[in-house]
Amino acid sequence: MAPRNKPKVPSPASTFHQDLTLNPTPRSLSVVESIYSQSQYSESSDSTAASSIDDTHQVRSLRPGVYVPTLTFFHPETEDLDLDTITKHAVRLAKAGVAGLTTQGSNGEAVHLSHQERKLVTKTTRNALDNAGFYGLPIIVGCGSQSTRETVELCREAMTSGGDYALVLPPSYYKAMYKPESLVEFFEEVADGSPIPILIYNYPGAVNGLDMDSDVITALAKHTNIVGCKLTCGNTGKLGRIASSVDAATPSEDGVGFMCMGGSADFTLQTLVVGGSGIIGGLGNIAPRACVKIIELYKAGKMDEAKRMQAIVARGDWAAISGGIVGTKSALETHYGYGGFARKPLPRPNKQESVKYAAGFKELVDLENSLS
């Protein structure tokens, strides 16, 4: 990742804001590594001990485009991981032309998985891509947790499982007790301790309403191990301020390489217009080619076609947002013959609900099939 310039333009305050002076380079890993020298982290070959980290690990480059937070698939009778379907799905997405995949996100039911299962999903995804010839396709791994310690542990496990980048939510369970500097220190310390670069994940709906503002994210972008952000808050004004301040990469300009990503397919075009890098959007599980096509049309200057396609994608994304993981998996099962169910306690749809979910995605699936 190329060195980045200092942010250029301050931006209006939002929910979480602090005047910041950050160290733009990672601090020594000695404090973090001391945590992992304790016996419970150093006995097995599957440990996250610092000694198990390969300092020469080379990550695959991120490029502007569509990244899909993949679903995790389970056997319907046992709820065990369905590794064959995870493999099949990863290859289908790669063949559609996406720029990369994300495991362990909200769509991937990370909160329903053990550490071992998280590692297995990422490893299976990496192996699937490599075996299909997509060696250069990067994997971003969701690594958010409530403590700095476990978040760093997840980042290390992500790397040893084949992940290239970590996507990190801010902790929120003890939100009321945080000092103004607590979240800044959290991201700095995670970035210092992670063996792979991280992206900041701003998703207020998943973290007790905590919404990081553009000044905070722009300042954190100075850290050399923080290489991007995902904004699922839907605030394109915030996205535009960050993208401009850090000179983000776009489909037509490399910038400094910082990836400023929208968090939903329903504002793909809007993200690009304000200078963003692309999206990390769950709708790509259903219609990856349609999501990619919007970016291609924008890059080619075909705005009218891009707008028409964006409207169809936005309607499809509303079906995904309304139905959540349950509806997305149900529609995938109906339209593509695989998908299954989410883990309990998420409900399984009845026949009437399955018909409704399938209908909500039909226009989008028709578009997707026309692009195949």
Side-chain angles (χ1 to χ4, degrees), residues 44-341:
S44 73
S45 61
D46 204 25
S47 165
T48 56
S51 60
S52 71
I53 300 299
D54 181 0
D55 291 334
T56 65
H57 175 74
Q58 297 295 313
V59 299
R60 297 160 182 85
S61 296
L62 295 176
R63 60 183 175 87
V66 173
Y67 292 75
V68 182
T70 58
L71 297 165
T72 298
F73 301 98
F74 307 104
H75 290 289
E77 298 83 9
T78 63
E79 292 195 347
D80 291 340
L81 293 175
D82 183 350
L83 300 182
D84 289 341
T85 301
I86 290 171
T87 295
K88 170 185 173 182
H89 187 62
V91 174
R92 173 186 168 235
L93 299 179
K95 288 181 176 178
V98 302
L101 302 182
T102 302
T103 60
Q104 318 312 326
S106 304
N107 282 273
E109 298 182 60
V111 295
H112 288 166
L113 304 179
S114 68
H115 276 237
Q116 291 296 329
E117 288 176 321
R118 285 179 176 226
K119 290 188 286 185
L120 183 54
V121 168
T122 299
K123 183 177 180 180
T124 300
T125 302
R126 181 73 267 159
N127 288 341
L129 295 175
D130 290 350
N131 291 337
F134 296 99
Y135 310 103
L137 206 70
I139 296 177
I140 303 169
V141 183
C143 294
S145 184
Q146 294 304 309
S147 72
T148 305
R149 178 191 180 102
E150 187 179 25
T151 303
V152 172
E153 181 183 354
L154 288 169
C155 292
R156 290 167 176 249
E157 291 176 355
M159 191 209 76
T160 59
S161 303
D164 300 289
Y165 301 85
L167 182 64
V168 180
L169 281 165
S172 61
Y173 190 85
Y174 295 112
K175 173 186 171 184
M177 299 178 66
Y178 292 154
K179 297 179 179 179
E181 65 272 17
S182 295
L183 292 183
V184 172
E185 292 173 354
F186 168 79
F187 277 105
E188 281 195 291
E189 290 171 4
V190 170
D192 288 347
S194 174
I196 52 178
I198 73 169
L199 291 85
I200 297 168
Y201 189 4
N202 190 60
Y203 184 11
V207 290
N208 199 21
L210 198 155
D211 189 6
M212 299 175 70
D213 74 22
S214 51
D215 286 342
V216 170
I217 295 173
T218 296
L220 283 169
K222 296 176 183 178
H223 196 296
T224 57
N225 208 33
I226 297 177
V227 299
C229 61
K230 175 186 178 182
L231 303 187
T232 307
C233 54
N235 187 333
T236 53
K238 179 191 300 184
L239 193 152
R241 289 191 295 272
I242 297 169
S244 174
S245 296
V246 302
D247 191 20
T250 72
S252 57
E253 298 288 342
D254 291 340
V256 296
F258 190 88
M259 301 294 288
C260 193
M261 310 294 288
S264 182
D266 65 354
F267 61 100
T268 302
L269 189 56
Q270 298 93 313
T271 293
L272 301 175
V273 168
V274 299
S277 309
I279 62 161
I280 304 175
L283 192 66
N285 286 288
I286 296 285
R289 294 181 189 275
C291 294
V292 170
K293 189 66 175 178
I294 292 173
I295 294 183
E296 292 176 347
L297 291 170
Y298 172 81
K299 187 175 180 180
K302 299 179 179 179
M303 286 297 293
D304 289 342
E305 291 181 54
K307 286 165 62 177
R308 285 193 292 271
M309 193 165 291
Q310 177 66 76
I312 296 173
V313 166
R315 288 192 287 271
D317 209 18
W318 180 240
I321 293 166
S322 300
I325 299 168
V326 172
T328 299
K329 283 191 167 184
S330 175
L332 197 63
E333 183 74 47
T334 300
H335 289 294
Y336 294 101
Y338 71 96
F341 306 106

